[in-house]
């Protein structure tokens, strides 16, 4: 009978799911406490709206969930990919805004592209986002400037630069926002309008789904992904193994920026009339992507599920206004749930510590019950002595003379 193998991969997956579930439950309980404080009479109804209204509202509500989840999935993939490669891409907000500007710019002036217009707009969003992440990547690789500092600065530089560029290139002065993109720049529905009639969801969600799968393959099934993760774990060891660590760091930031930029393009090319306003405000999609990445534990498929969950909570929060909850309370509850989702790693650490503590106690009890047999081990049996190896030690020369003359022995 073969011994049963331990399934460490399955245990890790269950542990990750359990820690994320605990974070979600704590966030929901915190939101319920806020509801009780703000409006005790409608607290249960409002809480039920958060948890159930996106499902009970029909296919339209589910489509709205996927629409709001799409940009969060992309920024979550951006932050999670950087986490997997040992970097903290806190600049997803600036990359998101810069990618959105690139998509809008091509969407306004690229009408001659015809049927490929929307696709070229998304490529522009990817390039603009990658370009904005290239600078922190170069600073990290060649000057060892921490990516948190440089990417935070790039967030604000990107915000002010995009405001300046909009005014100079595609500005609607009456509404203080960018010009509307052409109809050919809008992402096709790709059949999503038939599945979820009346909602804003389009083919952008399918693109986000494909990006999650592709990123999973790159990180886990390719040598390129292995090198990126190896550099994130130990730069010196990777250099000793022949990996170009500077190239890997730059590519990690560039890919992360491209994902955030693509998220901006998917949002502003959705055909919902959403435009970039010329205001001094950072895009919250980038910061919410951090919580999505933490809730999904930086796993591409986990980030996909976490983004859908956050979109679900956002739609449920909108429906809470039917129960006399002011929009500010809705925003507080939604933010509380989102940021409690970031505690998934903390819960995972707590569960891991308890598990290892139990294992150590079990090992100590096992060793106490084991008999001490190491002192009763007989000496090794080397067999009978070999006469050929037995040689007599010659006596000293003076002793030999005494023996031959008969003077040996004790003089007493």
């Amino acid at each position: 009978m073969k011994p049963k193998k331990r399934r460490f991969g399955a245990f890790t997956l269950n542990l990750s799911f359990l820690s994320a579930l605990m974070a979600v439950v704590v966030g929901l309980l915190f939101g319920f406490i806020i509801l009780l404080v703000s409006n005790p009479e409608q607290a249960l109804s409002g809480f039920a709206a958060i948890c159930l209204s996106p499902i009970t509202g029909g296919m339209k509500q589910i489509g709205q969930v996927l629409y709001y989840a799409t940009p969060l999935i992309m920024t979550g993939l951006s932050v999670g990919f950087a986490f997997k490669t040992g970097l903290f891409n806190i600049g997803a907000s600036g990359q998101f805004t810069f990618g959105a500007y690139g998509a809008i710019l091509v969407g306004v002036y690229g009408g001659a592209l015809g049927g490929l217009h929307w696709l070229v707009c998304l490529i522009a969003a990817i390039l603009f986002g990658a370009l904005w992440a290239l600078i922190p990547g170069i600073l990290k690789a060649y000057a060892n400037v921490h990516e948190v500092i440089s990417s935070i600065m790039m967030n604000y530089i990107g915000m002010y630069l995009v405001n300046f560029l909009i005014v100079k290139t595609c500005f609607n002065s009456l509404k203080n926002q960018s010009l509307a993109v052409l109809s050919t720049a809008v992402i096709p529905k790709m059949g999503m309008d038939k599945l979820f009639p009346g909602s804003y969801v389009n083919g952008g969600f399918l693109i986000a789904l494909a990006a999650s799968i592709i990123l999973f393959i790159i990180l886990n099934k390719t040598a390129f992904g292995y090198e990126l993760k190896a550099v994130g774990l130990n730069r010196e060891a990777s250099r000793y193994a022949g990996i170009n660590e500077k190239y890997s760091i730059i590519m990690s930031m560039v890919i992360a920026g491209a994902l955030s930029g693509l998220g901006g393009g998917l949002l502003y090319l959705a055909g919902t009339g959403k435009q970039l306003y010329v205001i001094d405000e950072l895009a919250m999609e980038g910061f919410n992507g951090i919580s999505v990445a933490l809730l999904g534990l930086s796993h591409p498929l986990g980030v996909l599920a976490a983004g859908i969950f956050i979109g679900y909570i956002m739609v449920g929060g909108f429906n809470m206004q039917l129960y006399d909850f002011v929009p500010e309370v809705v925003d507080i509850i939604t933010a509380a749930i989102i940021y409690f989702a970031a505690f998934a790693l903390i819960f995972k650490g707590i569960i891991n510590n308890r598990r290892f503590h139990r294992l150590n106690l079990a090992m100590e009890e096992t060793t106490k019950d084991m008999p001490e047999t190491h002192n009763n081990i007989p000496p090794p049996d080397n067999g009978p002595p070999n006469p050929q190896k037995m040689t007599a030690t010659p006596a000293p020369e003076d002793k030999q003379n005494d023996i031959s003359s008969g003077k040996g022995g004790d003089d007493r």
Side-chain angles (χ1 to χ4, degrees):
M1 183 176 179
K2 294 183 179 180
K4 187 177 181 180
K5 296 182 179 180
R6 295 182 179 180
R7 304 173 66 180
F8 291 104
F11 176 80
T12 303
L13 180 62
N14 294 333
L15 176 60
S16 301
F17 176 76
L18 181 60
S19 59
L21 182 62
M22 290 176 63
V24 169
V25 171
V26 172
L28 289 174
L29 291 177
F30 184 80
F32 182 64
I33 293 173
I34 295 176
L35 292 180
L36 287 174
V37 173
S38 60
N39 190 348
E41 296 178 357
Q42 298 290 338
L44 288 175
S45 300
F47 189 73
I50 291 180
C51 299
L52 301 176
S53 63
I55 295 179
T56 58
M59 298 302 290
K60 177 182 177 180
Q61 292 292 313
I62 297 177
Q64 290 297 96
V65 169
L66 301 181
Y67 166 75
Y68 287 109
T70 298
L72 297 179
I73 292 172
M74 296 310 304
T75 54
L77 288 175
S78 173
V79 177
F81 180 82
F83 280 160
K84 283 291 187 180
T85 57
L87 300 172
F88 188 8
N89 180 30
I90 204 172
S93 179
Q95 298 151 15
F96 180 89
T97 303
F98 213 65
Y101 169 73
I104 291 174
L105 184 65
V106 178
V108 171
Y109 296 108
L113 296 171
L116 296 176
H117 191 190
W118 67 274
L119 186 59
V120 177
C121 290
L122 291 181
I123 294 175
I126 292 173
L127 294 178
F128 274 61
L131 176 64
W132 208 241
L134 176 63
I135 300 174
I138 292 175
L139 292 175
K140 174 70 174 180
Y142 289 96
N144 201 26
V145 177
H146 203 286
E147 67 277 5
V148 171
I149 303 300
S150 58
S151 57
I152 287 177
M153 295 298 101
M154 295 300 289
N155 279 340
Y156 287 95
I157 295 172
M159 178 188 66
Y160 290 117
L161 180 59
V162 167
N163 289 343
F164 172 78
L165 292 175
I166 289 175
V167 173
K168 293 297 182 181
T169 57
C170 54
F171 186 52
N172 185 344
S173 58
L174 296 178
K175 297 182 179 180
N176 193 37
Q177 65 183 22
S178 61
L179 294 173
V181 299
L182 301 177
S183 60
T184 53
V186 175
I187 300 173
K189 294 293 184 180
M190 300 182 186
M192 301 295 283
D193 55 338
K194 297 179 180 178
L195 291 175
F196 309 100
S199 66
Y200 293 154
V201 68
N202 56 16
F205 175 76
L206 299 179
I207 295 174
L209 177 63
S212 303
I213 297 173
I214 292 172
L215 210 61
F216 171 78
I217 295 173
I218 290 175
L219 284 173
N220 298 284
K221 305 296 181 181
T222 65
F224 175 67
Y226 172 80
E227 291 180 357
L228 296 181
K229 292 189 292 184
V231 172
L233 292 174
N234 194 315
R235 291 181 62 178
E236 289 73 18
S238 301
R239 188 189 309 116
Y240 182 78
I243 300 174
N244 189 341
E245 80 280 3
K246 292 182 173 60
Y247 171 80
S248 297
I249 291 172
I250 293 173
M251 287 303 300
S252 296
M253 287 301 298
V254 166
I255 294 174
L259 292 168
S260 291
L262 178 59
L266 294 178
L267 178 61
Y268 288 92
L269 299 178
T272 59
K274 190 175 180 62
Q275 304 298 332
L276 279 174
Y277 285 92
V278 183
I279 56 176
D280 298 340
E281 183 178 336
L282 294 174
M284 289 307 299
E285 288 84 358
F287 295 106
N288 290 339
I290 298 175
S291 298
V292 171
L294 293 174
L295 179 60
L297 299 175
S298 299
H299 191 285
L301 302 182
V303 169
L304 174 66
I308 295 175
F309 169 75
I310 298 301
Y312 185 95
I313 294 299
M314 293 174 67
V315 173
F318 296 149
N319 296 331
M320 281 179 54
Q321 299 183 40
L322 300 175
Y323 299 96
D324 298 330
F325 286 100
V326 296
E328 290 76 12
V329 175
V330 175
D331 293 338
I332 291 173
I333 295 171
T334 306
I337 294 173
I338 289 175
Y339 288 106
F340 265 104
F343 281 72
L345 290 176
I346 297 177
F347 288 122
K348 184 177 181 180
I350 294 173
I351 296 173
N352 262 328
N353 291 336
R354 291 179 61 86
R355 171 179 174 265
F356 286 122
H357 180 67
R358 289 197 299 267
L359 287 176
N360 290 332
L361 291 178
M363 291 179 63
E364 290 177 1
E365 293 178 358
T366 303
T367 53
K368 288 179 181 179
D369 297 337
M370 292 178 61
E372 296 183 1
T373 58
H374 57 278
N375 292 330
N376 299 327
I377 300 176
D381 186 9
N382 296 326
N386 190 353
Q388 296 179 356
K389 294 184 179 180
M390 299 176 62
T391 56
T393 302
E397 186 176 355
D398 54 347
K399 291 291 183 180
Q400 291 181 1
N401 294 334
D402 294 340
I403 293 173
S404 59
S405 59
K407 297 180 180 180
D410 193 356
D411 294 339
R412 294 179 299 177

